[in-house]
Amino acid sequence: MMNNVDSFLEINELEIGYKYRRKSNIVLSKINLTTRRGEFICLLGKNGSGKSTFLRTLAGMQKELNGSILLNRQPLSNFGNREKAKKIAVVLTERLQIGAMRGYDIVEFGRYPHTGWVGKLTAADHAIVKQCLEDVGAIHLANREINQLSDGERQRLIIARALAQEPELMLLDEPSSFLDAPAKIELAILLRDLAYKRNITVIAATHDLDISLRTSDTIWLITENHEIENGSPEDLIANNSIAKAFSGDKTKFNNSKRTFEPDEKNLNKAYVEGKGQPFELALSALERSGWQIVLSPNEAQMRISISSNGQWRVMADNFEKTGENFAELASAAQKLKNHAL
Amino acid sequence: MQESTPRLKPTGKRQVTLFFALLIGVVVLAILGLTLGSVNIPLNEIWKISTGYSTTNTSWQTIVIDIRVPRTFTALIAGAAIGLAGLQMQTLFRNPLADPFVLGISSGASLGVALIVLTVGSAGAVFGAGLGLFENVSLAIAAIIGSTIVLFIVLLIAERVRSAVTILIVGLMVGYLVSAIVMLLVAWSEPQQLSRFVVWGFGSFRSVTWDELRILAPVSLLGFLIAGSIVKPLNALLLGEDYAKSLGINIRALRIITMAGSSLLAGIVTAFCGPIAFIGVATPHIARSLFKTSDHRILVPAVLLSGAIIAMIAELVAQLPGNNSVLPLNAVTSLLGAPVVVIVLIRSRLGAFTG
């Protein structure tokens, strides 16, 4: 389909950070990455690990300390402001602070690098704006005053604006941080589809592990030693990189669930007998009460059986209790745990 | 390719009507500016005089040609200029309350004026009659330099503090500081000059002579052209500096041009009319709420027209009562403008800048 697809964006020995009076504060170094067109990449890292700095450097808003960034085999610094704006679009964390403006006006801003000095849009420009509004599912927001929109609606408009620039590379900094959980997933899927459909390389910085592992083609993972590791979600899970990069003292990464869970030492052990949803929910109630689930009744200090209608029975040394709802089960489990300690 | 966006963007009908209404307003007020005054001159005589016919009554001729025509032109131009300076500063600072007067830019211009008045020794045209072209030009240049320096200082501080209210307070403080220096200069000047300086500080469109108007008009026009040439990047700046940069706009150049343009306008008006309060902050808000937009392509002409209208109304109100004495212009503009600022503060969610 395309030539040189493998080297659309090429980053060599990049070192980024801030320079202040000849003293440079290096945030990330030894970055070597390449991408093709139309890839959806999540830049994963803890808070404060340098995601924004990296994105700003890629966007040309901040100078690199060392190394090179090549876009279509040309150094980023070769592009003029306007030329760059036609290739790279950004979505920042900064919140818009304007009123007296409608959704359509926001998306129109995306055409700025393509219009003349008055900024007049041609019929073709208007068609692009409309298409972008449709692509992000925001056509109904075109005539709404932006001060009356929710965070999620505004974010869609800002992304539509970035699309209207017709970029080859789109950089998003924590695009879903204001959104609720379902909207976060929707947004990730939207970005992935846009990357495929429009052949745009989308790089989204996020600390939302679960969603990025489920949706992205590639993960760029900021590691503990301030470098960036690159791989598919599965490979990075398999080689334990994700677990290493994110683990804290009291959490551990669960490879099969692809999420972090509390890792408390010296947990009391419980064995659960049951089936179906009541069984699953009982596990959840016990886990949040600070019990570790084991697979054999012999090593457990507490045994629980749960029937298909949700009735449970707890058995331990000198203790036995029955009940019907999970709140009671959790409180019984907590009581037992406190006794044991 | 077919015609693309039905209904997505409302037609500009309402805005065209508004522009016509404002234009008519300007014309009507200009006529009122020529007719209303302490001496009652019949309308047909005024028409004759201003279209170049001679009239039997030479004192009427003098009043119309040397007083009413210049003050009308001055009010219209100065109002448009101060309003436009306010609009540019509000966008540049991303602050709904920015304007030349509030941020001390006018004080900077006053300092320039005061310095010239003292070094030239005997008073200028504003301070007495018969100052030559050279003095008028140096007055204008001094005022523009003064306003540029203060704007630059406030902008430097604004780089470091983001809070709109803090910048406002900083502007006030810089204004006080500069005013203090002006006060010292005035204290060393002669009593007669002092009283004239105080009168100048009241603000006035009627003290401007034809000679001064010949400087005020072209410099203001230059300021209007500068503002007109940067409507597109000013729009982008509404999204915030980083977004504007990402759309390919050279922020540094834009800042310098906007700063130069608005201090040119604020400086030249202050030099000849005195520091005019509140027109700069109120006009952009009135234009925004009339036209329901933040788009500078519409706001720049809208502010030009509504600034001219507001200044002309203030000028007419200032001379109305008593018919012989004239109210200080700044008292009138403050009475009209201060409530607007308060309303903006209270309803800031509806303004151009929220947050």
Side-chain angles (χ1 to χ4, degrees):
Chain A
M1 260 171 69
M2 298 200 68
N3 293 324
N4 301 329
V5 278
D6 52 335
S7 65
F8 162 63
L9 177 68
E10 205 179 317
I11 299 167
N12 296 316
E13 286 300 314
L14 184 68
E15 189 175 273
I16 60 169
Y18 298 89
K19 230 175 202 162
Y20 184 71
R21 290 186 185 162
R22 284 194 194 173
K23 260 178 76 181
S24 50
N25 176 14
I26 299 167
V27 175
L28 293 171
S29 57
K30 292 185 204 157
I31 308 171
N32 288 292
L33 298 162
T34 53
T35 70
R36 54 183 168 81
R37 285 282 297 264
E39 197 169 7
F40 179 42
I41 300 163
C42 278
L43 175 64
L44 262 181
K46 284 183 177 176
N47 282 331
S49 58
K51 298 190 290 283
S52 295
T53 312
F54 182 52
L55 283 191
R56 291 179 64 87
T57 312
L58 283 188
M61 294 170 130
Q62 182 174 336
K63 263 202 89 55
E64 62 269 23
L65 296 179
N66 264 313
S68 67
I69 303 168
L70 303 178
L71 192 66
N72 294 324
R73 295 180 187 275
Q74 276 202 61
L76 199 60
S77 47
N78 276 12
F79 296 99
N81 284 341
R82 213 178 147 98
E83 238 179 310
K84 202 155 54 191
K86 290 182 187 175
K87 301 230 178 254
I88 306 174
V90 298
V91 172
L92 305 166
T93 45
E94 187 180 335
R95 292 186 72 159
L96 290 188
Q97 296 191 349
I98 28 172
M101 206 170 256
R102 292 156 317 112
Y104 194 88
D105 301 328
I106 297 290
V107 184
E108 255 192 45
F109 279 120
R111 297 308 296 161
Y112 267 45
H114 303 268
T115 57
W117 72 272
V118 193
K120 187 156 176 51
L121 271 67
T122 62
D125 288 320
H126 281 296
I128 290 167
V129 170
K130 192 183 166 207
Q131 185 61 48
C132 293
L133 276 164
E134 271 167 7
D135 282 357
V136 303
I139 197 84
H140 61 292
L141 304 177
N143 247 325
R144 298 265 308 274
E145 167 65 35
I146 61 157
N147 277 340
Q148 296 164 358
L149 300 181
S150 72
D151 288 328
E153 289 170 327
R154 280 172 178 231
Q155 195 66 316
R156 276 175 191 271
L157 289 173
I158 294 171
I159 290 167
R161 179 205 54 88
L163 279 181
Q165 276 174 258
E166 296 191 299
E168 295 170 10
L169 175 64
M170 198 159 134
L171 307 168
L172 304 96
D173 195 358
E174 304 277 359
S176 60
S177 50
F178 298 126
L179 308 182
D180 54 29
K184 275 181 204 239
I185 296 172
E186 259 176 54
L187 180 72
I189 290 168
L190 171 72
L191 291 175
R192 184 192 64 193
D193 292 349
L194 286 174
Y196 294 172
K197 192 177 145 196
R198 294 188 164 229
N199 200 26
I200 300 173
T201 299
V202 176
I203 304 176
T206 177
H207 52 248
D208 200 323
L209 194 65
D210 179 55
I211 294 172
S212 22
L213 291 177
R214 277 170 208 276
T215 52
S216 63
D217 299 317
T218 303
I219 301 264
W220 289 355
L221 180 70
I222 298 182
T223 60
E224 275 179 321
N225 47 358
H226 309 291
E227 291 170 16
I228 295 183
E229 195 176 345
N230 143 43
S232 75
E234 296 75 19
D235 288 331
L236 292 182
I237 292 172
N239 71 11
N240 257 343
S241 297
I242 301 262
K244 254 188 262 162
F246 277 90
S247 288
D249 288 343
K250 293 195 169 173
T251 51
K252 69 168 192 282
F253 188 70
N254 181 322
N255 279 345
S256 58
K257 286 188 187 166
R258 291 186 290 193
T259 179
F260 281 88
E261 41 194 42
D263 181 22
E264 293 168 66
K265 308 284 181 270
N266 308 320
L267 284 180
N268 296 319
K269 298 181 172 81
Y271 170 79
V272 185
E273 208 176 62
K275 258 190 254 169
Q277 179 162 305
F279 173 74
E280 300 280 341
L281 293 175
L283 294 189
S284 154
L286 290 171
E287 269 172 351
R288 71 182 165 85
S289 313
W291 288 83
Q292 185 190 349
I293 310 297
V294 290
L295 298 174
S296 123
N298 297 333
E299 39 173 327
Q301 289 122 308
M302 170 171 81
R303 292 178 305 284
I304 289 145
S305 65
I306 182 146
S307 67
S308 55
N309 59 9
Q311 285 201 335
W312 52 261
R313 172 188 295 269
V314 171
M315 287 158 292
D317 298 339
N318 311 322
F319 185 89
E320 191 163 333
K321 195 170 179 338
T322 55
E324 285 174 0
N325 67 42
F326 293 104
E328 285 168 13
L329 174 60
S331 76
Q334 273 163 21
K335 225 178 255 169
L336 260 178
K337 181 183 156 81
N338 289 341
H339 270 293
L341 282 174
Chain B
M1 188 167 285
Q2 67 195 53
E3 196 46 50
S4 47
T5 55
R7 296 290 160 104
L8 282 183
K9 215 175 157 61
T11 55
K13 239 183 209 168
R14 189 189 126 85
Q15 294 176 337
V16 171
T17 320
L18 270 169
F19 271 123
F20 264 110
L22 289 181
L23 215 56
I24 291 168
V26 169
V27 172
V28 169
L29 283 163
I31 293 170
L32 285 176
L34 294 176
T35 11
L36 297 180
S38 50
V39 180
N40 220 344
I41 307 173
L43 201 61
N44 60 333
E45 289 292 325
I46 290 174
W47 176 255
K48 267 191 202 163
I49 295 166
S50 32
T51 48
Y53 289 100
S54 62
T55 169
T56 44
N57 191 328
T58 48
S59 70
W60 285 359
Q61 179 140 8
T62 314
I63 288 172
V64 173
I65 297 292
D66 287 343
I67 296 174
R68 294 205 186 156
V69 173
R71 78 135 189 213
T72 303
F73 275 131
T74 304
L76 296 178
I77 293 171
I82 289 287
L84 210 49
L87 174 68
Q88 292 178 79
M89 287 172 63
Q90 288 176 9
T91 303
L92 186 64
F93 284 93
R94 295 162 60 68
N95 185 334
L97 294 176
D99 99 325
F101 192 79
V102 174
L103 290 187
I105 316 305
S106 303
S107 308
S110 313
L111 178 59
V113 169
L115 276 173
I116 286 295
V117 167
L118 275 193
T119 50
V120 169
S122 64
V126 213
F127 308 92
L131 200 72
L133 178 70
F134 174 75
E135 282 80 5
N136 273 335
V137 170
S138 41
L139 201 69
I141 291 174
I144 290 168
I145 291 174
S147 58
T148 309
I149 290 172
V150 173
L151 181 53
F152 184 72
I153 292 170
V154 177
L155 205 60
L156 266 186
I157 297 169
E159 286 263 85
R160 286 171 177 72
V161 261
R162 288 278 166 204
S163 150
V165 177
T166 313
I167 293 167
L168 224 60
I169 294 168
V170 167
L172 279 177
M173 290 305 131
V174 174
Y176 280 133
L177 213 72
V178 175
S179 301
I181 303 173
V182 171
M183 234 185 275
L184 287 178
L185 290 173
V186 168
W188 289 323
S189 64
E190 287 156 33
Q192 198 195 8
Q193 277 182 330
L194 173 76
S195 84
R196 279 174 180 153
F197 195 87
V198 171
V199 171
W200 174 82
F202 288 163
S204 168
F205 297 135
R206 57 186 56 227
S207 57
V208 176
T209 63
W210 274 107
D211 282 340
E212 293 168 337
L213 201 50
R214 277 187 199 109
I215 302 170
L216 175 67
V219 174
S220 299
L221 185 67
L222 180 63
F224 300 161
L225 290 177
I226 291 176
S229 70
I230 51 172
V231 283
K232 178 176 160 175
L234 280 180
N235 274 348
L237 200 55
L238 289 174
L239 290 178
E241 271 181 30
D242 280 344
Y243 274 124
K245 236 186 259 174
S246 82
L247 290 170
I249 278 138
N250 184 341
I251 292 289
R252 180 170 286 183
L254 177 63
R255 275 181 167 224
I256 290 171
I257 295 171
T258 315
M259 216 171 78
S262 46
S263 40
L264 199 67
L265 290 171
I268 195 73
V269 172
T270 310
F272 295 124
C273 310
I276 306 292
F278 289 109
I279 289 184
V281 64
T283 308
H285 289 292
I286 290 167
R288 267 187 219 108
S289 55
L290 274 180
F291 286 81
K292 293 193 169 45
T293 183
S294 296
D295 187 343
H296 289 80
R297 284 170 293 182
I298 291 164
L299 282 182
V300 165
V303 164
L304 276 181
L305 294 176
S306 32
I309 288 177
I310 291 166
M312 199 65 232
I313 291 175
E315 165 66 15
L316 291 174
V317 169
Q319 67 148 34
L320 264 184
N323 261 4
N324 273 329
S325 62
V326 175
L327 296 178
L329 185 65
N330 269 335
V332 178
T333 55
S334 300
L335 281 174
L336 297 175
V340 173
V341 173
V342 173
I343 291 168
V344 167
L345 267 180
I346 292 169
R347 317 193 327 180
S348 60
R349 277 182 62 82
L350 304 174
F353 304 89
T354 57

